[in-house]
Amino acid sequence: MRYVEQEKVIKRMNGRLVVNTIFKGLFMAATLLALLALVVLLYRIITQGASHLSLDFLMNFASRFPEKAGIKAALIGSLWLMAVVAPTSIILGVGSAIYLEEYAKQNKLTTFIRLNISNLAGVPSVVFGLLGLTIFVRAFSLGNSILAAGFTMSLLILPVIIVASQEAIRSVPKELRDASLGMGATKWQTVVNIILPAAIPGILTGSILALSRAIGETAPLIVIGIPVIIQFLPRGVFDTFTALPIQIFDWASRPQQEFQVVAAAGIIILMIFLLIMNSIAVIIRNKFQKRY
Amino acid sequence: MRTSVQEMIAQSKGKKNKKFIEKIIPWILLLIASVSVLTTIGIVLTLIIETITFFRRVSVFDFVFGTTWLPFSNKEELYGILPLIVGTLKVTLIAVIVAVPIGISAAIYLSEYASETVRRIVKPVLEVLAGIPTIVYGFFALTFVTPLLQTFFPEIKIFNAISPGIVVGIMIIPMIASLSEDAMSAVPRSIRDGALAMGSTKFEVAWKIIVPAALSGIIASVVLAVSRAIGETMIVSLAGGSTPKFDGDFAGSIQTMTAYIVQVSKGDAGYGTTIYYSIYAVGFTLFLFTMLMNILAQYVSKRFREEY
């Protein structure tokens, strides 16, 4: 008696294998399509904007004339913005992470803070702009200054930094902690001398990636009323300013074709900025990450 | 002996200081951690208070059920939010049609078919796609995707729902792919090996075993991506237009909730005007939409999770 009809099996199996091959091809094609989108996007922007890139473009202020339009105020403005966002968001983020990982008791308050952080990460950036407009621009009367924009951006990327720092702190092995406490160190001494040094590569990597998000974020800046055309450089954090993404938005939304080229050139500068920041993050991750 | 006593005193003095620090540090850190909670409270309060001011001037019923959004009219200003919601949903629908098949396919490919080397190259590259600022995507939609679509479908206008929809879709592909891939990779190897040993092809394993097992994670990733698409601002501001319309037309200019907020903010609407308060009412609606999506995603991934 034959349990298996070989011919039938082979016939069916062939069909199933064909289906498998077809779908493998489809799945691969979908992945390639996503990668292709990235390539097309980068290629388009580089070919569009490269002709406008020059030292003048970096050194000129914004202008009504596309050929004279430069990015100086926006570039310096973005650097100023980072000077406010980086310390504010890292102090708040790392502090929150230390609290949640090292000090927080397992109670309702802690659960609430955790839940709140994950929900905050899902709030659209434009809504953070409305928060910044009401609280920082109006209630604190900071106006459309670097400080108001910086605080708004800090709150926007805070959840990302907290989560990254939490992961970095959690990955420090328990033995290090126990050894330090066993030697008579207090909890805070352990945190400062043992845990933070071990967690710093992870914290920095996460923070730089979060900052690179802040540098490209446009919507909150528009909502809090950051101006576009600025013919001077800010002297302090209370001065008004303009930033790269806002400048690009302005150029991109102008009807003249010539400004499209200027916008593309601005995007190249922004992407170079991001590339540098991401490279630093990768280098830190690869170089300093210790495996326990 | 004397010195050692002095040392002990000095030490105990130091300890007191230390004890004080040890006691105060947790409170300082708690204070810092509460900033994130205060942010949420700030957002909710800001939106509610300014929205209430708005509703003193415009009736809630007209806002929720009105089908005309005409805030800049000289004669009669009309604030019916439905056209803005329809605009948002048009873009989201197209984004989902683009991103869900591609994102899930890429996730299946990376998790079930691709070799370790391919995965290690492709995943970071997809993350680059996720890290590109939305203003860049918006520029891409306006200057590349729209003209490209127009060469094939001349009836498509400069501002439309299709082009920003496609580009928002491209933007959320990495999110769906990466989160779905995580969910699929979490399915234990033994289940996969068992199915393969029974004679299944890789496709059958992926489609009949892995996808159903990881379904909660996949659905959660799609819901989160939808939430991102709803809140996306710059792509729709640049390529979507500023014509709030209550219809099913995808080829013409639209306006989304986010784009309206940007339009008003750009125009420097005077503080205290109805238009000024309207951006908070729209922002509040937007906030409710995304919050609902986020809670739904959390619920799905918790409630339907398969535990191994």
Short mmCIF file of all heavy atoms in Angstrom, two decimals, chain B residues 8-69:
data_model
loop_
_atom_site.label_atom_id
_atom_site.label_comp_id
_atom_site.label_asym_id
_atom_site.label_seq_id
_atom_site.Cartn_x
_atom_site.Cartn_y
_atom_site.Cartn_z
N MET B 8 37.94 61.76 62.87
CA MET B 8 36.61 61.15 62.96
C MET B 8 35.51 62.21 62.94
O MET B 8 34.47 62.03 62.30
CB MET B 8 36.50 60.29 64.23
CG MET B 8 37.16 58.93 64.06
SD MET B 8 37.39 58.11 65.65
CE MET B 8 35.76 57.50 65.94
N ILE B 9 35.82 63.32 63.66
CA ILE B 9 34.82 64.40 63.66
C ILE B 9 34.63 64.94 62.25
O ILE B 9 33.51 65.11 61.77
CB ILE B 9 35.26 65.53 64.62
CG1 ILE B 9 35.15 65.02 66.07
CG2 ILE B 9 34.37 66.76 64.43
CD1 ILE B 9 35.79 65.95 67.08
N ALA B 10 35.79 65.18 61.61
CA ALA B 10 35.72 65.71 60.25
C ALA B 10 34.94 64.76 59.35
O ALA B 10 34.12 65.18 58.53
CB ALA B 10 37.13 65.92 59.70
N GLN B 11 35.21 63.48 59.56
CA GLN B 11 34.51 62.48 58.74
C GLN B 11 33.01 62.53 58.96
O GLN B 11 32.23 62.51 58.02
CB GLN B 11 35.02 61.07 59.07
CG GLN B 11 36.10 60.61 58.12
CD GLN B 11 36.65 59.26 58.52
OE1 GLN B 11 36.10 58.61 59.41
NE2 GLN B 11 37.73 58.87 57.89
N SER B 12 32.64 62.59 60.25
CA SER B 12 31.20 62.55 60.53
C SER B 12 30.53 63.82 60.00
O SER B 12 29.40 63.79 59.55
CB SER B 12 30.95 62.37 62.02
OG SER B 12 30.99 63.62 62.67
N LYS B 13 31.29 64.92 60.04
CA LYS B 13 30.74 66.15 59.46
C LYS B 13 30.51 65.96 57.96
O LYS B 13 29.49 66.33 57.42
CB LYS B 13 31.72 67.31 59.68
CG LYS B 13 31.30 68.18 60.84
CD LYS B 13 32.17 69.42 60.87
CE LYS B 13 31.86 70.23 62.11
NZ LYS B 13 32.93 71.20 62.40
N GLY B 14 31.51 65.37 57.34
CA GLY B 14 31.41 65.10 55.92
C GLY B 14 30.22 64.21 55.62
O GLY B 14 29.48 64.39 54.65
N LYS B 15 30.01 63.23 56.50
CA LYS B 15 28.92 62.28 56.29
C LYS B 15 27.57 62.97 56.35
O LYS B 15 26.67 62.67 55.59
CB LYS B 15 28.98 61.19 57.37
CG LYS B 15 29.47 59.87 56.79
CD LYS B 15 29.44 58.78 57.84
CE LYS B 15 30.29 57.62 57.39
NZ LYS B 15 30.73 56.79 58.50
N LYS B 16 27.47 63.91 57.27
CA LYS B 16 26.20 64.64 57.40
C LYS B 16 25.87 65.32 56.07
O LYS B 16 24.77 65.22 55.55
CB LYS B 16 26.33 65.69 58.49
CG LYS B 16 25.22 65.57 59.54
CD LYS B 16 25.37 66.66 60.55
CE LYS B 16 24.81 66.24 61.90
NZ LYS B 16 25.21 67.18 62.95
N ASN B 17 26.91 65.96 55.55
CA ASN B 17 26.78 66.63 54.28
C ASN B 17 26.35 65.62 53.19
O ASN B 17 25.46 65.87 52.40
CB ASN B 17 28.14 67.25 53.93
CG ASN B 17 27.94 68.39 52.95
OD1 ASN B 17 26.80 68.72 52.64
ND2 ASN B 17 29.03 68.96 52.49
N LYS B 18 27.03 64.48 53.24
CA LYS B 18 26.75 63.43 52.28
C LYS B 18 25.30 62.96 52.39
O LYS B 18 24.62 62.76 51.40
CB LYS B 18 27.69 62.27 52.58
CG LYS B 18 28.42 61.72 51.35
CD LYS B 18 28.99 60.40 51.72
CE LYS B 18 30.48 60.35 51.65
NZ LYS B 18 31.00 59.10 52.22
N LYS B 19 24.90 62.76 53.65
CA LYS B 19 23.54 62.26 53.88
C LYS B 19 22.52 63.22 53.30
O LYS B 19 21.53 62.81 52.72
CB LYS B 19 23.29 62.09 55.38
CG LYS B 19 23.43 60.66 55.83
CD LYS B 19 23.02 60.54 57.28
CE LYS B 19 23.37 59.18 57.82
NZ LYS B 19 23.42 59.17 59.29
N PHE B 20 22.81 64.51 53.49
CA PHE B 20 21.91 65.54 52.99
C PHE B 20 21.80 65.42 51.47
O PHE B 20 20.70 65.43 50.91
CB PHE B 20 22.42 66.91 53.41
CG PHE B 20 21.57 68.03 52.90
CD1 PHE B 20 20.29 68.21 53.41
CD2 PHE B 20 22.05 68.89 51.94
CE1 PHE B 20 19.49 69.24 52.94
CE2 PHE B 20 21.26 69.91 51.46
CZ PHE B 20 19.98 70.10 51.97
N ILE B 21 22.96 65.28 50.83
CA ILE B 21 22.95 65.15 49.36
C ILE B 21 22.15 63.92 48.95
O ILE B 21 21.30 63.97 48.06
CB ILE B 21 24.40 65.06 48.83
CG1 ILE B 21 25.06 66.42 48.96
CG2 ILE B 21 24.42 64.60 47.38
CD1 ILE B 21 26.48 66.46 48.49
N GLU B 22 22.43 62.81 49.64
CA GLU B 22 21.73 61.57 49.29
C GLU B 22 20.23 61.72 49.42
O GLU B 22 19.46 61.09 48.70
CB GLU B 22 22.21 60.42 50.19
CG GLU B 22 23.60 59.93 49.89
CD GLU B 22 23.74 59.37 48.49
OE1 GLU B 22 22.80 58.70 48.02
OE2 GLU B 22 24.78 59.63 47.86
N LYS B 23 19.82 62.55 50.40
CA LYS B 23 18.38 62.70 50.60
C LYS B 23 17.75 63.61 49.56
O LYS B 23 16.63 63.39 49.14
CB LYS B 23 18.14 63.28 52.01
CG LYS B 23 17.84 62.17 52.99
CD LYS B 23 17.24 62.73 54.26
CE LYS B 23 17.11 61.62 55.27
NZ LYS B 23 17.38 62.09 56.63
N ILE B 24 18.52 64.65 49.19
CA ILE B 24 17.89 65.65 48.32
C ILE B 24 17.92 65.24 46.85
O ILE B 24 17.04 65.61 46.07
CB ILE B 24 18.55 67.04 48.53
CG1 ILE B 24 17.64 68.13 47.96
CG2 ILE B 24 19.91 67.13 47.88
CD1 ILE B 24 17.50 69.28 48.90
N ILE B 25 18.93 64.43 46.48
CA ILE B 25 19.08 64.05 45.07
C ILE B 25 17.82 63.38 44.48
O ILE B 25 17.36 63.78 43.40
CB ILE B 25 20.32 63.13 44.89
CG1 ILE B 25 21.60 63.95 45.01
CG2 ILE B 25 20.28 62.39 43.56
CD1 ILE B 25 21.93 64.82 43.84
N PRO B 26 17.23 62.39 45.16
CA PRO B 26 16.05 61.77 44.57
C PRO B 26 14.94 62.77 44.29
O PRO B 26 14.25 62.67 43.27
CB PRO B 26 15.59 60.77 45.63
CG PRO B 26 16.78 60.51 46.45
CD PRO B 26 17.61 61.75 46.43
N TRP B 27 14.82 63.76 45.17
CA TRP B 27 13.75 64.75 44.96
C TRP B 27 14.05 65.65 43.77
O TRP B 27 13.14 65.97 43.00
CB TRP B 27 13.56 65.59 46.23
CG TRP B 27 12.99 64.75 47.34
CD1 TRP B 27 13.67 64.25 48.41
CD2 TRP B 27 11.65 64.26 47.44
NE1 TRP B 27 12.84 63.48 49.18
CE2 TRP B 27 11.59 63.47 48.62
CE3 TRP B 27 10.51 64.41 46.66
CZ2 TRP B 27 10.42 62.83 49.02
CZ3 TRP B 27 9.35 63.77 47.07
CH2 TRP B 27 9.31 63.00 48.24
N ILE B 28 15.33 66.02 43.63
CA ILE B 28 15.68 66.84 42.46
C ILE B 28 15.41 66.05 41.18
O ILE B 28 14.83 66.57 40.22
CB ILE B 28 17.18 67.24 42.52
CG1 ILE B 28 17.40 68.18 43.70
CG2 ILE B 28 17.62 67.90 41.23
CD1 ILE B 28 18.85 68.53 43.95
N LEU B 29 15.79 64.76 41.19
CA LEU B 29 15.59 63.95 40.00
C LEU B 29 14.09 63.75 39.72
O LEU B 29 13.67 63.76 38.56
CB LEU B 29 16.28 62.59 40.16
CG LEU B 29 17.81 62.65 40.13
CD1 LEU B 29 18.40 61.28 40.43
CD2 LEU B 29 18.31 63.15 38.79
N LEU B 30 13.32 63.60 40.77
CA LEU B 30 11.87 63.46 40.59
C LEU B 30 11.30 64.72 39.94
O LEU B 30 10.45 64.66 39.05
CB LEU B 30 11.18 63.19 41.92
CG LEU B 30 9.65 63.12 41.88
CD1 LEU B 30 9.18 61.98 40.99
CD2 LEU B 30 9.06 62.94 43.28
N LEU B 31 11.84 65.86 40.39
CA LEU B 31 11.41 67.13 39.84
C LEU B 31 11.70 67.18 38.33
O LEU B 31 10.85 67.60 37.53
CB LEU B 31 12.16 68.26 40.55
CG LEU B 31 11.48 69.61 40.60
CD1 LEU B 31 10.24 69.54 41.46
CD2 LEU B 31 12.44 70.66 41.14
N ILE B 32 12.91 66.73 37.97
CA ILE B 32 13.28 66.71 36.55
C ILE B 32 12.37 65.76 35.78
O ILE B 32 11.88 66.08 34.69
CB ILE B 32 14.76 66.29 36.40
CG1 ILE B 32 15.67 67.40 36.92
CG2 ILE B 32 15.09 65.98 34.95
CD1 ILE B 32 17.14 67.07 36.89
N ALA B 33 12.13 64.57 36.37
CA ALA B 33 11.30 63.59 35.68
C ALA B 33 9.87 64.09 35.51
O ALA B 33 9.16 63.67 34.59
CB ALA B 33 11.31 62.25 36.44
N SER B 34 9.45 64.99 36.41
CA SER B 34 8.07 65.46 36.31
C SER B 34 7.90 66.48 35.19
O SER B 34 6.76 66.83 34.84
CB SER B 34 7.61 66.04 37.64
OG SER B 34 8.41 67.13 37.98
N VAL B 35 9.02 66.94 34.60
CA VAL B 35 8.89 67.89 33.48
C VAL B 35 8.09 67.28 32.34
O VAL B 35 7.24 67.93 31.73
CB VAL B 35 10.28 68.34 32.98
CG1 VAL B 35 10.17 69.10 31.67
CG2 VAL B 35 10.96 69.21 34.02
N SER B 36 8.33 65.98 32.08
CA SER B 36 7.60 65.34 30.98
C SER B 36 6.10 65.28 31.29
O SER B 36 5.27 65.42 30.40
CB SER B 36 8.16 63.95 30.71
OG SER B 36 7.94 63.11 31.81
N VAL B 37 5.79 65.05 32.58
CA VAL B 37 4.37 65.03 32.96
C VAL B 37 3.78 66.43 32.82
O VAL B 37 2.68 66.60 32.27
CB VAL B 37 4.21 64.52 34.40
CG1 VAL B 37 2.74 64.55 34.80
CG2 VAL B 37 4.76 63.12 34.54
N LEU B 38 4.57 67.44 33.28
CA LEU B 38 4.10 68.82 33.17
C LEU B 38 3.88 69.20 31.70
O LEU B 38 2.96 69.96 31.38
CB LEU B 38 5.11 69.78 33.80
CG LEU B 38 5.16 69.76 35.32
CD1 LEU B 38 6.25 70.70 35.82
CD2 LEU B 38 3.81 70.16 35.90
N THR B 39 4.73 68.68 30.81
CA THR B 39 4.58 68.97 29.39
C THR B 39 3.22 68.48 28.89
O THR B 39 2.49 69.21 28.20
CB THR B 39 5.69 68.29 28.58
OG1 THR B 39 6.94 68.65 29.14
CG2 THR B 39 5.64 68.70 27.13
N THR B 40 2.89 67.24 29.26
CA THR B 40 1.59 66.71 28.84
C THR B 40 0.45 67.54 29.41
O THR B 40 -0.48 67.92 28.68
CB THR B 40 1.42 65.25 29.33
OG1 THR B 40 2.57 64.52 28.96
CG2 THR B 40 0.19 64.62 28.71
N ILE B 41 0.55 67.84 30.71
CA ILE B 41 -0.49 68.67 31.32
C ILE B 41 -0.56 70.01 30.61
O ILE B 41 -1.65 70.51 30.30
CB ILE B 41 -0.21 68.86 32.82
CG1 ILE B 41 -0.28 67.51 33.54
CG2 ILE B 41 -1.20 69.84 33.44
CD1 ILE B 41 0.15 67.56 35.00
N GLY B 42 0.61 70.59 30.32
CA GLY B 42 0.66 71.87 29.63
C GLY B 42 -0.03 71.81 28.28
O GLY B 42 -0.80 72.70 27.92
N ILE B 43 0.26 70.75 27.53
CA ILE B 43 -0.35 70.61 26.20
C ILE B 43 -1.87 70.53 26.33
O ILE B 43 -2.61 71.26 25.67
CB ILE B 43 0.20 69.35 25.49
CG1 ILE B 43 1.64 69.57 25.05
CG2 ILE B 43 -0.65 69.00 24.27
CD1 ILE B 43 2.31 68.36 24.45
N VAL B 44 -2.33 69.65 27.22
CA VAL B 44 -3.78 69.44 27.35
C VAL B 44 -4.46 70.73 27.82
O VAL B 44 -5.46 71.17 27.24
CB VAL B 44 -4.07 68.27 28.32
CG1 VAL B 44 -5.56 68.16 28.58
CG2 VAL B 44 -3.53 66.97 27.74
N LEU B 45 -3.88 71.37 28.86
CA LEU B 45 -4.50 72.59 29.38
C LEU B 45 -4.52 73.70 28.34
O LEU B 45 -5.54 74.35 28.12
CB LEU B 45 -3.74 73.07 30.62
CG LEU B 45 -4.11 72.38 31.94
CD1 LEU B 45 -3.41 73.06 33.10
CD2 LEU B 45 -5.62 72.40 32.15
N THR B 46 -3.35 73.92 27.68
CA THR B 46 -3.27 74.95 26.65
C THR B 46 -4.36 74.76 25.62
O THR B 46 -5.12 75.68 25.30
CB THR B 46 -1.91 74.86 25.93
OG1 THR B 46 -0.88 74.97 26.88
CG2 THR B 46 -1.77 75.93 24.89
N LEU B 47 -4.44 73.51 25.10
CA LEU B 47 -5.41 73.25 24.03
C LEU B 47 -6.83 73.46 24.53
O LEU B 47 -7.64 74.09 23.86
CB LEU B 47 -5.22 71.82 23.51
CG LEU B 47 -3.92 71.56 22.74
CD1 LEU B 47 -3.81 70.10 22.36
CD2 LEU B 47 -3.83 72.43 21.51
N ILE B 48 -7.11 72.94 25.74
CA ILE B 48 -8.49 73.04 26.24
C ILE B 48 -8.88 74.50 26.50
O ILE B 48 -9.93 74.96 26.05
CB ILE B 48 -8.67 72.19 27.52
CG1 ILE B 48 -8.66 70.70 27.16
CG2 ILE B 48 -9.97 72.56 28.23
CD1 ILE B 48 -8.81 69.78 28.34
N ILE B 49 -8.00 75.25 27.19
CA ILE B 49 -8.37 76.62 27.55
C ILE B 49 -8.60 77.48 26.31
O ILE B 49 -9.62 78.16 26.20
CB ILE B 49 -7.27 77.24 28.45
CG1 ILE B 49 -7.28 76.55 29.81
CG2 ILE B 49 -7.48 78.75 28.59
CD1 ILE B 49 -6.11 76.92 30.69
N GLU B 50 -7.66 77.41 25.35
CA GLU B 50 -7.82 78.24 24.15
C GLU B 50 -8.98 77.76 23.30
O GLU B 50 -9.63 78.56 22.63
CB GLU B 50 -6.52 78.26 23.34
CG GLU B 50 -5.27 78.64 24.11
CD GLU B 50 -5.20 80.13 24.44
OE1 GLU B 50 -6.23 80.71 24.84
OE2 GLU B 50 -4.11 80.71 24.30
N THR B 51 -9.25 76.44 23.32
CA THR B 51 -10.37 75.93 22.55
C THR B 51 -11.70 76.40 23.15
O THR B 51 -12.65 76.73 22.42
CB THR B 51 -10.34 74.39 22.50
OG1 THR B 51 -9.09 73.98 21.95
CG2 THR B 51 -11.45 73.83 21.65
N ILE B 52 -11.73 76.48 24.49
CA ILE B 52 -12.96 76.99 25.14
C ILE B 52 -13.22 78.44 24.72
O ILE B 52 -14.34 78.81 24.38
CB ILE B 52 -12.84 76.87 26.68
CG1 ILE B 52 -12.97 75.41 27.09
CG2 ILE B 52 -13.93 77.71 27.36
CD1 ILE B 52 -12.72 75.15 28.57
N THR B 53 -12.14 79.24 24.68
CA THR B 53 -12.30 80.62 24.20
C THR B 53 -12.86 80.63 22.79
O THR B 53 -13.72 81.45 22.45
CB THR B 53 -10.94 81.35 24.22
OG1 THR B 53 -10.26 81.02 25.41
CG2 THR B 53 -11.11 82.83 24.09
N PHE B 54 -12.35 79.71 21.97
CA PHE B 54 -12.83 79.62 20.59
C PHE B 54 -14.32 79.29 20.56
O PHE B 54 -15.09 79.89 19.80
CB PHE B 54 -12.02 78.56 19.84
CG PHE B 54 -12.50 78.30 18.44
CD1 PHE B 54 -12.26 79.21 17.42
CD2 PHE B 54 -13.19 77.14 18.13
CE1 PHE B 54 -12.69 78.97 16.14
CE2 PHE B 54 -13.63 76.89 16.84
CZ PHE B 54 -13.38 77.80 15.84
N PHE B 55 -14.73 78.36 21.43
CA PHE B 55 -16.13 77.93 21.42
C PHE B 55 -17.08 78.97 22.02
O PHE B 55 -18.29 78.83 21.94
CB PHE B 55 -16.29 76.58 22.11
CG PHE B 55 -15.85 75.42 21.25
CD1 PHE B 55 -15.17 74.35 21.79
CD2 PHE B 55 -16.12 75.43 19.89
CE1 PHE B 55 -14.76 73.30 20.99
CE2 PHE B 55 -15.71 74.37 19.09
CZ PHE B 55 -15.03 73.31 19.64
N ARG B 56 -16.52 80.00 22.68
CA ARG B 56 -17.38 81.11 23.11
C ARG B 56 -17.86 81.89 21.89
O ARG B 56 -18.87 82.56 21.93
CB ARG B 56 -16.60 82.04 24.03
CG ARG B 56 -16.32 81.42 25.37
CD ARG B 56 -16.60 82.40 26.49
NE ARG B 56 -16.32 81.75 27.76
CZ ARG B 56 -15.12 81.78 28.35
NH1 ARG B 56 -14.14 82.47 27.80
NH2 ARG B 56 -14.93 81.16 29.49
N ARG B 57 -17.07 81.82 20.80
CA ARG B 57 -17.42 82.61 19.62
C ARG B 57 -18.06 81.77 18.52
O ARG B 57 -18.81 82.29 17.71
CB ARG B 57 -16.16 83.27 19.06
CG ARG B 57 -15.43 84.07 20.12
CD ARG B 57 -14.20 84.70 19.54
NE ARG B 57 -13.41 85.31 20.60
CZ ARG B 57 -12.34 86.05 20.38
NH1 ARG B 57 -11.94 86.25 19.15
NH2 ARG B 57 -11.68 86.57 21.38
N VAL B 58 -17.70 80.49 18.47
CA VAL B 58 -18.23 79.62 17.43
C VAL B 58 -18.90 78.44 18.11
O VAL B 58 -18.35 77.88 19.06
CB VAL B 58 -17.09 79.11 16.52
CG1 VAL B 58 -17.62 78.13 15.49
CG2 VAL B 58 -16.37 80.26 15.85
N SER B 59 -20.10 78.08 17.66
CA SER B 59 -20.80 77.00 18.36
C SER B 59 -20.13 75.65 18.11
O SER B 59 -19.58 75.40 17.02
CB SER B 59 -22.26 76.96 17.94
OG SER B 59 -22.44 76.04 16.89
N VAL B 60 -20.15 74.82 19.16
CA VAL B 60 -19.51 73.51 19.06
C VAL B 60 -20.14 72.70 17.94
O VAL B 60 -19.45 72.03 17.17
CB VAL B 60 -19.66 72.74 20.41
CG1 VAL B 60 -19.01 71.37 20.31
CG2 VAL B 60 -19.05 73.55 21.54
N PHE B 61 -21.46 72.81 17.82
CA PHE B 61 -22.18 72.03 16.81
C PHE B 61 -21.70 72.40 15.40
O PHE B 61 -21.39 71.54 14.59
CB PHE B 61 -23.69 72.29 16.94
CG PHE B 61 -24.50 71.44 16.01
CD1 PHE B 61 -24.88 70.15 16.38
CD2 PHE B 61 -24.89 71.91 14.77
CE1 PHE B 61 -25.62 69.36 15.52
CE2 PHE B 61 -25.62 71.12 13.90
CZ PHE B 61 -25.99 69.84 14.28
N ASP B 62 -21.59 73.72 15.13
CA ASP B 62 -21.12 74.16 13.82
C ASP B 62 -19.71 73.68 13.54
O ASP B 62 -19.35 73.35 12.41
CB ASP B 62 -21.14 75.70 13.73
CG ASP B 62 -22.56 76.23 13.67
OD1 ASP B 62 -23.47 75.39 13.50
OD2 ASP B 62 -22.75 77.45 13.82
N PHE B 63 -18.88 73.65 14.59
CA PHE B 63 -17.49 73.24 14.43
C PHE B 63 -17.40 71.76 14.08
O PHE B 63 -16.71 71.36 13.14
CB PHE B 63 -16.72 73.53 15.72
CG PHE B 63 -15.27 73.14 15.68
CD1 PHE B 63 -14.35 73.88 14.95
CD2 PHE B 63 -14.82 72.03 16.38
CE1 PHE B 63 -13.02 73.53 14.91
CE2 PHE B 63 -13.48 71.67 16.35
CZ PHE B 63 -12.59 72.42 15.61
N VAL B 64 -18.15 70.94 14.82
CA VAL B 64 -18.03 69.49 14.65
C VAL B 64 -18.72 69.00 13.38
O VAL B 64 -18.23 68.11 12.69
CB VAL B 64 -18.57 68.75 15.89
CG1 VAL B 64 -18.50 67.24 15.69
CG2 VAL B 64 -17.78 69.15 17.12
N PHE B 65 -19.87 69.59 13.06
CA PHE B 65 -20.66 69.07 11.93
C PHE B 65 -20.64 69.96 10.70
O PHE B 65 -21.19 69.59 9.67
CB PHE B 65 -22.11 68.83 12.37
CG PHE B 65 -22.23 67.79 13.45
CD1 PHE B 65 -22.46 68.14 14.77
CD2 PHE B 65 -22.06 66.43 13.14
CE1 PHE B 65 -22.55 67.17 15.77
CE2 PHE B 65 -22.14 65.46 14.13
CZ PHE B 65 -22.39 65.83 15.45
N GLY B 66 -20.04 71.15 10.80
CA GLY B 66 -20.03 72.06 9.67
C GLY B 66 -19.20 71.52 8.52
O GLY B 66 -18.14 70.94 8.72
N THR B 67 -19.69 71.72 7.31
CA THR B 67 -18.98 71.19 6.14
C THR B 67 -18.28 72.28 5.35
O THR B 67 -17.83 72.06 4.24
CB THR B 67 -19.94 70.43 5.22
OG1 THR B 67 -21.01 71.30 4.87
CG2 THR B 67 -20.49 69.19 5.88
N THR B 68 -18.20 73.48 5.91
CA THR B 68 -17.49 74.56 5.22
C THR B 68 -16.49 75.19 6.18
O THR B 68 -16.83 75.53 7.31
CB THR B 68 -18.46 75.66 4.75
OG1 THR B 68 -19.59 75.03 4.17
CG2 THR B 68 -17.80 76.56 3.74
N TRP B 69 -15.26 75.33 5.71
CA TRP B 69 -14.20 75.95 6.52
C TRP B 69 -13.77 77.20 5.79
O TRP B 69 -13.04 77.13 4.81
CB TRP B 69 -13.04 74.96 6.70
CG TRP B 69 -11.98 75.47 7.62
CD1 TRP B 69 -10.84 76.11 7.25
CD2 TRP B 69 -11.94 75.37 9.05
NE1 TRP B 69 -10.09 76.42 8.36
CE2 TRP B 69 -10.74 75.97 9.48
CE3 TRP B 69 -12.80 74.84 10.00
CZ2 TRP B 69 -10.39 76.06 10.83
CZ3 TRP B 69 -12.45 74.92 11.34
CH2 TRP B 69 -11.25 75.52 11.73
#
